[in-house]
Amino acid sequence: MNPTQLAFALTLLDLVPLLIRGVSGAVVAFQEGRAKMDELVAENRDPTPEEWDALDQNIARLRDDLHTD
Amino acid sequence: MKIRHLIAGLAVLALAACATPRGETPQQVVFGLKSDYRALLIPVVEYEALPRCTDKTPEVLVPGELACSDETVVELIRRADRHAFTALESASDVVRSPVATDDTIQLAIRSAETALRVLTQVLVDEGVYGEVTR
């Protein structure tokens, strides 16, 4: 690991207190996204409009929470 | 939650935000970026949902767990998120457009990648890092 990589890794460790409350949900979401990507590639197709809409709606709900006091 | 689980989760998120985009077609690439963005938003929303810090609020009640969120950090995150969202929406439109040129598509994808990295960087450098070490 070079110094830059090490610095980045250390910085990531500093993220722990922020992410501790939601990291499990984030990891699940990431894994779901990765599984969907694997599916798309395996089936050699682009996302359907329904798949785009589902992702967009999920993002919209999260952004509503983020941008609302 | 065990610390090693957290670190593993962070590594996954870091890969999500910084790895070379997955997918073989422009739509797949942007769909992957938006999926990563969704995952990144989840802990951010959790942070925003914490009560705002005040002079009388202890920032950490339990070691490793924040008790409050900093208003300045929340605003920084929101600003970076608006840029990331705009870039990702633009890329989504471009890759689904039947008239978009290859150059336009590549530019839109690069812009979305950059905006997502900026959001991650804000969390690390401007917001999260300062919050944790204050």
Side-chain angles (χ1 to χ4, degrees):
Chain A
M1 182 176 281
N2 65 42
T4 303
Q5 289 172 320
L6 179 60
F8 188 57
L10 291 174
T11 306
L12 285 174
L13 292 179
D14 288 331
L15 277 166
V16 170
L18 171 72
L19 298 178
I20 191 168
R21 297 169 63 89
V23 71
S24 60
V27 170
V28 168
F30 170 74
Q31 290 170 337
E32 288 175 354
R34 175 58 67 96
K36 174 59 71 178
M37 289 301 301
D38 289 344
E39 176 187 319
L40 295 176
V41 172
E43 296 176 359
N44 191 28
R45 66 176 178 85
D46 286 327
T48 64
E50 291 76 19
E51 288 168 333
W52 280 108
D53 287 345
L55 180 58
D56 287 343
Q57 288 172 17
N58 205 314
I59 289 171
R61 281 195 293 272
L62 289 165
R63 293 191 76 246
D64 280 348
D65 290 342
L66 175 59
H67 291 274
T68 304
D69 282 324
Chain B
M1 184 177 291
K2 302 288 187 186
I3 192 74
R4 64 177 179 274
H5 293 160
L6 291 174
I7 294 171
L10 287 171
V12 169
L13 289 177
L15 286 172
C18 301
T20 302
R22 303 177 306 280
E24 296 177 351
T25 70
Q27 284 200 40
Q28 289 176 356
V29 170
V30 174
F31 194 85
L33 288 174
K34 289 187 88 168
S35 295
D36 293 348
Y37 169 64
R38 176 184 74 134
L40 196 63
L41 280 179
I42 292 172
V44 171
V45 167
E46 292 289 325
Y47 176 77
E48 190 280 336
L50 292 171
R52 295 293 180 265
C53 298
T54 67
D55 291 342
K56 297 178 181 177
T57 308
E59 195 168 0
V60 177
L61 291 176
V62 177
E65 186 167 350
L66 291 173
C68 61
S69 57
D70 187 289
E71 182 66 39
T72 304
V73 173
V74 170
E75 287 307 316
L76 281 170
I77 291 171
R78 285 173 171 168
R79 202 175 310 151
D81 173 72
R82 282 191 283 269
H83 288 296
F85 179 73
T86 300
L88 285 164
E89 286 301 289
S90 176
S92 298
D93 292 341
V94 167
V95 296
R96 285 184 283 181
S97 167
V99 297
T101 65
D102 287 348
D103 285 348
T104 305
I105 288 171
Q106 291 307 313
L107 182 61
I109 289 174
R110 278 201 299 272
S111 297
E113 289 171 346
T114 300
L116 195 54
R117 286 196 173 96
V118 168
L119 174 61
T120 306
Q121 201 68 45
V122 165
L123 295 173
V124 173
D125 289 343
E126 301 294 337
V128 179
Y129 187 80
E131 180 72 18
V132 173
T133 56
R134 193 177 64 180

